[in-house]
Amino acid sequence: MPTTRTPIIAGNWKMNSGIKEGIQRCQEIVKHLPETQAEVVVCPPFPHLYPLSEVLKNTNVMLGAQTVHKKASGAYTGDVGAFMVVEAGARWVIIGHSERRQYYGETGADIREKILLAQNNGLTVIFCVGERLEERESNVYLDVITRQMNEVLDPSINFDQLVIAYEPVWSIGTGKTASPEQANEVHMHIRQCINNINGDKTTGEKIRVIYGGSMKPENAAELLAQSDIDGGLIGGASLDAKDFCRIISHAN
Ligand code: PEP
């Protein structure tokens, strides 16, 4: 990747770990953090954010939330607003993860509202796209990615506060990783989509596109060496501080 695109390694803890375990994991990450140019982000469950913000103060590890509600505040029992995660210490947020689309019925319109609100609150957004297995097998995966991008993004989005995560649904938590070539092809396509959406030829080259789907220490080097892969969104392997740090060590 060009040196102008700073790598990012983000851990998505999903709904795992109690707060004590989260604190210990973050202390271990800080202890084993390799020398790196990469931006490192940890996205724990909501209740961890504030305590972890204390642990990660004055370190090179940043905090992110795993989603936020699409409205600023109000009568939405059980939900959490963007300004709240900012107050709790988050600077990043994952939006449009396939699990949110699948289990909570999040649509492109919902995802767009969330991204705009999150950016207005100063959060940098990791926007997830990715095809399902049958879409890969029937060879329509690039069309799926184009649709997911077009229904959410337009020039009113702040592309400086946006990272795209390509996460083929068939590779999430399955142990099946996209090959480096398969991932790189989609990453290049994502850059082209961004240029078409923003009407210029430079935004796609500048934006960071990271890969997610069963990335682990054993396959990270090969994936991260691809020209258009700027980092990783890591689920399972981010729950082990040493594995997470080994992945980070491949991201320069
Ligand atoms: C994810 O859910 O964002 C993810 C990439 O998970 P895993 O690494 O476990 O496949």
Side-chain angles (χ1 to χ4, degrees):
M1 62 177 274
T3 48
T4 47
R5 295 201 302 261
T6 304
I8 307 170
I9 300 292
N12 175 11
W13 292 3
K14 311 192 184 190
M15 198 175 73
N16 290 301
S17 315
I19 295 178
K20 269 193 200 152
E21 194 182 342
I23 289 173
Q24 280 166 0
R25 184 177 301 131
C26 278
Q27 287 167 334
E28 258 205 86
I29 292 171
V30 170
K31 187 164 148 206
H32 296 286
L33 195 66
E35 197 80 18
T36 182
Q37 298 162 10
E39 292 187 305
V40 177
V41 184
V42 166
C43 302
F46 291 127
H48 295 228
L49 284 172
Y50 185 69
L52 293 191
S53 74
E54 294 291 309
V55 177
L56 297 175
K57 215 178 248 172
N58 305 320
T59 73
N60 291 329
V61 180
M62 293 177 280
L63 272 177
Q66 297 173 16
T67 185
V68 284
H69 196 266
K70 64 182 177 182
K71 300 291 181 205
S73 62
Y76 301 102
T77 302
D79 274 314
V80 174
F83 80 95
M84 299 171 191
V85 303
V86 172
E87 279 191 21
R91 296 293 168 265
W92 294 74
V93 62
I94 300 168
I95 306 247
H97 192 281
S98 58
E99 288 154 14
R100 301 289 317 174
R101 295 179 192 254
Q102 184 181 348
Y103 303 128
Y104 302 90
E106 282 187 15
T107 64
D110 297 328
I111 292 167
R112 178 179 162 74
E113 264 193 85
K114 289 182 178 213
I115 292 179
L116 287 168
L117 187 69
Q119 291 191 332
N120 276 339
N121 280 274
L123 291 163
T124 299
V125 172
I126 300 174
F127 165 42
C128 303
V129 296
E131 80 283 2
R132 296 195 306 268
L133 183 60
E134 59 272 26
E135 294 164 334
R136 164 70 51 177
E137 287 175 344
S138 56
N139 213 27
V140 295
Y141 56 98
L142 294 181
D143 298 333
V144 171
I145 302 297
T146 306
R147 176 178 48 73
Q148 290 177 341
M149 304 276 293
N150 286 345
E151 67 191 7
V152 169
L153 304 176
D154 70 14
S156 69
I157 297 285
N158 180 349
F159 289 95
D160 292 333
Q161 271 174 253
L162 190 75
V163 170
I164 312 287
Y166 169 53
E167 296 210 309
V169 179
W170 48 272
S171 75
I172 295 178
T174 59
K176 282 187 205 154
T177 317
S179 72
E181 296 73 25
Q182 283 176 322
N184 208 46
E185 179 198 22
V186 178
H187 285 224
M188 289 193 284
H189 177 73
I190 286 172
R191 296 191 195 286
Q192 192 53 55
C193 289
I194 295 275
N195 284 342
N196 294 341
I197 290 166
N198 206 30
D200 68 26
K201 293 209 170 353
T202 58
T203 313
E205 182 57 23
K206 280 193 254 160
I207 200 158
R208 291 176 291 175
V209 185
I210 63 178
Y211 170 79
S214 299
M215 193 188 271
K216 42 188 184 274
E218 295 73 27
N219 59 26
E222 223 193 336
L223 285 160
L224 295 170
Q226 296 296 306
S227 60
D228 287 275
I229 299 184
D230 303 325
L233 180 54
I234 326 293
S238 73
L239 295 175
D240 182 304
K242 285 190 185 148
D243 280 353
F244 189 55
C245 289
R246 282 171 64 203
I247 294 173
I248 295 166
S249 70
H250 293 301
N252 285 319

